[in-house]
Every structure is written in structure tokens, then in C-alpha cells.
Amino acid sequence: LPILKPKDEL
Amino acid sequence: MNIFRLLGDLSHLLAIIILLLKIWRTRSCAGVSGKSQILFALVFTTRYLDLFTNFISMYNSAMKLIYLVCSYATVFLMYFKFKATYDSNHDTFRMEFLVVPVGGLAFLVNHDFTPLEILWTFSIYLEAVAILPQLFMISKTGEAETITSHYLFALGSYRALYIVNWVFRFYTEGFFDLIAIVAGCVQTILYCDFFYLYITKVLKGKQLTLPA
């Protein structure tokens, strides 16, 4: 699974 | 931020506002599934807890707040202010049939086993199926008011635009979030049948009725 990023989508 | 994302967000906002205005202006929530609206309020609540933990942009925070306030306002209008007009006899989908499996799945398949991340994942999975009580209600009554179908069309467009946004982001930034993408595609597929009816009926000026 991809690396965790801040959720910039709504 | 790209144009598809922005149009998707605006389409989502439009859907929420269409529904609120419809209920407010007609003083009635007939034909609207309160179950779907409760599920959407739950989706926003569990997803936007990061309002308190990380700041992305003014746009991001403002939209989150607007979605939250509007979804709670819709639930309030349906279950309190205009409760007498709520069509609960036709809104019989059992919410626990969605919330329980979705909760289990969020525990099993997530990016990181932390409370916020599990809640975020839960909200993504739940959003994918939250419209089912509304679609179920329409299939039970066999029809939807034109304004309700505009609401659903705006909501479905938001999902479709988000898919285009992900394709765009994948090619331009190499960004992808598998959980969001799979759930988003499932959600969009649920609208396909409705899109077909919307284009063949509502856009030709007829009311949305299901074939017998």
C-alpha cells in the first residue's frame, strides 16, 4: 500500500 | 489542486445545497432518505477529524466545515423541523447492514493501524455505499422528484470527476491512494444505472420513474 500522506482531498 | 478536483468539489457542494434548498423551500423532505443523510453526516464526521490535527489550506478547511455543517443541517431538518414530511415507511434500508461490514473492513484493510487512519478509511468505505438507502427508497416507490434526481446527478458527477482527478494526479504527480480509488470506483458504479435513467428521462423533461 502507498505511503501515508496528509489527506489533501475532501 | 486540478480542475477536475475543483469541479468535483463544487459539484459535491452543489448537490448538498440543492438538497438543503429543496427541503427548505418546499418545507418537505418527502422522497429523501434520512438514512443516507445520517450516513453522510457520519462520513464527514469520521473523515474530517483531521481538521484538528493538520492544516492543508484555507480552502480545504473551509470546505470541510461547510460539508459538515450542511450535512448536519440536512439531518436536523429531516428528523426535527420537517419530521412530519419524512417518508419513513419507504426508508427501510437497515443502516447497520452497511455500517457494521464497512467498520470491519476498515479495521482489516487500511494504510495504518491508528485510530484516525481507521476512521478515515471507515469514512471512505462508508461513503461508497451511503447512497444505497436513497437508491433503495427510489426503487421502492418507483419514482423520484425531479429535484431529487438533480441532487443525485450532482452527487454522482462529483464521484466521476474525482476519478478523472485521480487519473490526472497519477500521471502528473505519481500520486495514488488505492483505498480511495477502489472505494471511489465502487461508489461511481452504483450511480451508473441512475445516470442512465437521468439522461434518458429527466433531461428530456420527464419525471424519473423506474421501468415496471
Side-chain angles (χ1 to χ4, degrees):
Chain A
L1 290 173
I3 311 146
L4 208 56
K5 286 184 188 178
K7 321 289 189 203
D8 64 338
E9 292 183 346
L10 292 167
Chain B
M1 175 67 91
N2 57 61
I3 187 70
F4 309 110
R5 214 344 262 291
L6 182 65
L7 288 176
D9 289 347
L10 293 178
S11 178
H12 195 184
L13 187 63
L14 180 70
I16 294 171
I17 290 174
I18 286 175
L19 188 68
L20 260 179
L21 277 182
K22 171 214 139 62
I23 296 174
W24 188 255
R25 290 252 182 95
T26 61
R27 325 296 284 172
S28 162
C29 53
V32 180
S33 165
K35 304 269 177 73
S36 278
Q37 295 310 313
I38 289 179
L39 293 175
F40 281 128
L42 187 60
V43 163
F44 292 137
T45 309
T46 50
R47 186 174 308 167
Y48 298 155
L49 290 171
D50 67 351
L51 266 173
F52 302 102
T53 61
N54 68 64
F55 178 80
I56 311 255
S57 64
M58 274 308 290
Y59 170 83
N60 191 279
S61 299
M63 291 296 262
K64 284 175 176 171
L65 271 176
I66 294 171
Y67 288 169
L68 272 168
V69 170
C70 289
S71 73
Y72 276 94
T74 307
V75 170
F76 170 78
L77 291 183
M78 292 196 70
Y79 284 91
F80 297 95
K81 196 162 173 63
F82 303 126
K83 191 179 174 44
T85 64
Y86 169 47
D87 201 0
S88 59
N89 290 338
H90 288 124
D91 194 13
T92 50
F93 200 98
R94 301 272 295 269
M95 284 189 284
E96 57 271 36
F97 289 169
L98 298 177
V99 173
V100 173
V102 157
L105 190 62
F107 260 91
L108 294 173
V109 184
N110 53 52
H111 293 315
D112 189 23
F113 202 77
T114 57
L116 268 186
E117 191 61 26
I118 291 171
L119 284 170
W120 177 84
T121 312
F122 171 78
S123 85
I124 293 289
Y125 295 153
L126 186 61
E127 188 189 350
V129 292
I131 201 61
L132 285 176
Q134 180 67 60
L135 297 176
F136 184 69
M137 193 172 179
I138 292 175
S139 74
K140 256 193 128 180
T141 58
E143 58 178 27
E145 280 179 56
T146 301
I147 189 76
T148 310
S149 56
H150 292 328
Y151 160 72
L152 281 169
F153 184 73
L155 207 56
S157 306
Y158 141 65
R159 292 319 310 185
L161 284 160
Y162 253 69
I163 293 184
V164 184
N165 154 61
W166 290 324
V167 173
F168 185 84
R169 288 191 78 174
F170 179 72
Y171 285 108
T172 55
E173 304 166 38
F175 170 88
F176 73 102
D177 184 323
L178 207 53
I179 287 179
I181 291 172
V182 172
C185 289
V186 168
Q187 189 175 356
T188 311
I189 290 166
L190 295 182
Y191 286 90
C192 285
D193 186 38
F194 167 79
F195 276 150
Y196 173 77
L197 289 171
Y198 186 83
I199 289 164
T200 54
K201 294 208 165 173
V202 182
L203 290 185
K204 290 181 182 151
K206 288 184 261 177
Q207 204 195 357
L208 191 130
T209 48
L210 298 185

